[in-house]
Amino acid sequence: MGTSFSCRPAISKWKRLGRGIMDFCLPPRCILCQKELENSDDPLCPTCAARMPWTGENAVQNGMRFDRCLSAVYYTGDLRESFHRYKFNAHWHYSWIYGRWMWECLKNNDPDCLRFDCISWTPLSLPRYLKRGYDQSRRLALAVSRLSGLPLRSTLVKCKHTPAQSGTASADLRWANVSGAYRLKPGAAVKGKRILLMDDIITTGATLEEACRVLRDGGARELCCLTLARSAQL
Ligand SMILES: [Zn+2]
């Protein structure tokens, strides 16, 4: 994986003009340390680019109910604070940068990744969605869908309002919390499908295992997971 790259595709001169005005009013900042950037095409300052916690050759881990899970970065240091701004402080536009990192991770570790029939995600419960106003994993899935051309499909419903996993210390408690948390979305066509399931962070794997149990019971043929980050403790 490269150390940094543009978070924006080639753009027209009008869009470039609009972006110049935006940059004047709201100077672009490093997505990790928030230092003001000289080059708005790069989401990272040189210092953060040099010490990005890419997972590299440790991007892949196996699961019980999913075939494997790929993660672009380790959940550590400034990345953790950046993700908190994304998830809890309405920096929703980070999804386009995170999504590009995830897409690069997928391409690097799974050259045949366009075989997937669709991209899906582990959804928030309705109360949490209404409170937060956006579904952070869906936004990541949307970004990877746009970059890959793979269709985005809603396949799961979160039917149990669980405590935030990030605040749940015990691994046993995490597994207990997510048990029965998801069900198949009515009308979701998962039988025989190869599904790329996306989530923001994998820690114990409990959330993705439970979501994949539901999809597997629904007849999914292949389940590969893709997350932005993985716990550094795994
Ligand atoms: Zn920085």
Side-chain angles (χ1 to χ4, degrees):
M1 182 172 301
T3 52
S4 64
F5 35 76
S6 169
C7 59
R8 292 154 174 160
I11 53 177
S12 73
K13 67 177 180 180
W14 293 110
K15 283 187 177 173
R16 192 174 293 278
L17 176 64
R19 206 177 83 194
I21 294 169
M22 277 290 292
D23 288 353
F24 179 77
C25 300
L26 290 170
R29 293 184 178 278
C30 172
I31 191 171
L32 293 200
C33 73
Q34 298 226 274
K35 182 179 158 190
E36 208 168 294
L37 293 170
E38 291 179 14
N39 176 9
S40 64
D41 282 335
D42 194 335
L44 295 168
C45 73
T47 306
C48 290
R51 63 181 190 203
M52 264 297 283
W54 302 118
T55 51
E57 60 187 19
N58 296 316
V60 184
Q61 56 187 308
N62 297 319
M64 291 183 288
R65 294 158 180 153
F66 52 80
D67 298 294
R68 57 194 197 141
C69 180
L70 309 177
S71 307
V73 294
Y74 284 111
Y75 189 52
T76 184
D78 287 343
L79 189 281
R80 183 188 286 259
E81 291 179 24
S82 169
F83 183 74
H84 272 246
R85 286 192 296 278
Y86 170 61
K87 187 169 178 178
F88 301 113
N89 202 17
H91 283 51
W92 52 266
H93 55 288
Y94 282 12
S95 64
W96 299 108
I97 300 163
Y98 293 158
R100 186 167 288 277
W101 294 347
M102 295 166 84
W103 170 229
E104 292 292 327
C105 177
L106 179 64
K107 282 191 298 182
N108 288 343
N109 290 283
D110 191 344
D112 191 27
C113 59
L114 294 180
R115 73 185 178 283
F116 292 109
D117 296 299
C118 67
I119 293 176
S120 195
W121 71 96
T122 53
L124 294 177
S125 64
L126 184 59
R128 184 154 294 147
Y129 177 77
L130 293 175
K131 184 178 176 188
R132 191 170 298 160
Y134 62 100
D135 184 329
Q136 78 278 357
S137 294
R138 183 187 179 281
R139 290 197 63 91
L140 297 175
L142 176 64
V144 176
S145 171
R146 293 267 174 90
L147 289 163
S148 64
L150 293 168
L152 185 65
R153 298 282 182 266
S154 174
T155 58
L156 295 165
V157 174
K158 192 167 190 188
C159 48
K160 182 174 155 188
H161 184 54
T162 56
Q165 289 292 72
S166 53
T168 308
S170 148
D172 287 345
L173 201 53
R174 283 173 180 250
W175 283 90
N177 278 337
V178 297
S179 177
Y182 298 99
R183 62 180 164 77
L184 211 55
K185 185 172 184 175
V190 302
K191 192 168 184 179
K193 301 289 192 217
R194 299 175 190 268
I195 299 171
L196 180 66
L197 185 67
M198 294 190 37
D199 199 359
D200 47 19
I201 296 162
I202 181 167
T203 306
T204 61
T207 299
L208 284 168
E209 290 283 1
E210 178 62 12
C212 287
R213 181 188 66 75
V214 174
L215 293 171
R216 194 72 81 182
D217 288 351
R221 176 181 170 194
E222 182 184 348
L223 290 165
C224 179
C225 300
L226 177 63
T227 71
L228 167 65
R230 65 179 291 183
S231 164
Q233 286 76 44
L234 281 178

